[in-house]
């Protein structure tokens, strides 16, 4: 009788698909993806089949579900494929504002940036990574103060 049970269990295990098997131990955190300016520029909504990414405050969001707004020839397409923090803060599509640089922004613009960052982008769109400026210091060393927006237990030391 026990040989029959072993055979039945073996048949069941062999017929289970990988989708039905649940891991007992899940990874603690997902890896953090780093985007250079060059890599981020590939996700500008112009190439069919690629997702549409934009960065605000060094956080890269997948805005593909907003393709009507961010896709090729759409009204806000100028914001995608780059870190457009200044443009978001100023509510501007002016080419000189399409940058990560927040130098000289007013307190009101910085408040607006934080409101749109938290209330719109973090609330609506998945985070897919971070710009190299956010993760690395200008000399290329890890930024010890980096903290992913979506991973409160993250440690930079785990990444390097």
């Amino acid at each position: 009788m026990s040989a029959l049970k072993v055979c039945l269990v073996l048949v069941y295990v062999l017929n289970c698909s990988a989708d039905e098997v649940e891991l007992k131990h899940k990874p603690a955190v997902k890896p953090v993806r780093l985007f250079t300016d060059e890599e981020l520029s590939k996700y500008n909504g112009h190439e069919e089949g690629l997702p549409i990414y934009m960065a605000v405050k060094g956080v890269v969001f997948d805005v593909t579900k907003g393709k009507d707004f961010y896709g090729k020839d759409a009204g806000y397409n100028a914001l995608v494929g780059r870190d457009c923090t200044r443009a978001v803060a100023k509510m501007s599509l002016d080419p000189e504002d399409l940058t990560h640089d927040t130098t000289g922004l007013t307190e009101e613009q910085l408040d607006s940036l934080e409101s749109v960052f938290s209330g719109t982008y973090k609330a609506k769109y998945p985070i897919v990574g971070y710009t190299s400026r956010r993760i690395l210091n200008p000399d290329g060393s890890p930024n010890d103060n980096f903290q992913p927006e979506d991973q409160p237990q993250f440690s930079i030391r785990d990444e390097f």
Side-chain angles (χ1 to χ4, degrees):
M1 184 76 170
S2 64
L4 179 61
K5 285 182 183 178
V6 170
C7 286
L8 288 174
V9 169
L10 185 58
V11 168
Y12 174 77
V13 169
L14 292 174
N15 287 322
C16 278
S17 72
D19 295 336
E20 294 172 337
V21 178
E22 188 173 330
L23 297 175
K24 290 183 181 180
H25 301 287
K26 295 183 179 179
V29 294
K30 60 185 175 184
V32 172
R33 183 168 177 194
L34 179 140
F35 287 87
T36 63
D37 290 343
E38 182 181 353
E39 183 180 13
L40 187 57
S41 70
K42 296 175 188 173
Y43 301 96
N44 63 6
H46 290 252
E47 190 168 329
E48 197 64 38
L50 282 181
I52 304 169
Y53 293 166
M54 72 179 281
V56 179
K57 293 176 56 175
V59 180
V60 181
F61 296 96
D62 182 342
V63 296
T64 306
K65 72 179 181 180
K67 188 175 185 173
D68 291 342
F69 301 105
Y70 300 106
K72 184 178 181 182
D73 299 323
Y76 296 112
N77 180 258
L79 300 174
V80 300
R82 66 180 79 224
D83 188 326
C84 59
T85 302
R86 183 178 198 83
V88 170
K90 293 180 71 175
M91 302 288 181
S92 169
L93 294 175
D94 189 327
E96 68 184 31
D97 291 328
L98 299 174
T99 178
H100 69 280
D101 188 8
T102 58
T103 305
L105 292 178
T106 67
E107 194 65 37
E108 184 179 325
Q109 290 167 334
L110 292 171
D111 289 345
S112 174
L113 171 62
E114 191 55 42
S115 174
V116 172
F117 176 73
S118 297
T120 301
Y121 292 104
K122 281 179 64 176
K124 287 176 80 172
Y125 300 107
I127 295 171
V128 293
Y130 298 86
T131 63
S132 55
R133 251 181 241 90
R134 174 96 183 233
I135 297 176
L136 302 175
N137 293 317
D139 67 359
S141 64
N143 175 358
D144 290 333
N145 296 319
F146 170 71
Q147 184 64 47
E149 296 292 326
D150 59 342
Q151 298 180 46
Q153 305 304 321
F154 175 85
S155 171
I156 193 77
R157 302 204 189 298
D158 294 339
E159 296 293 316
F160 292 95

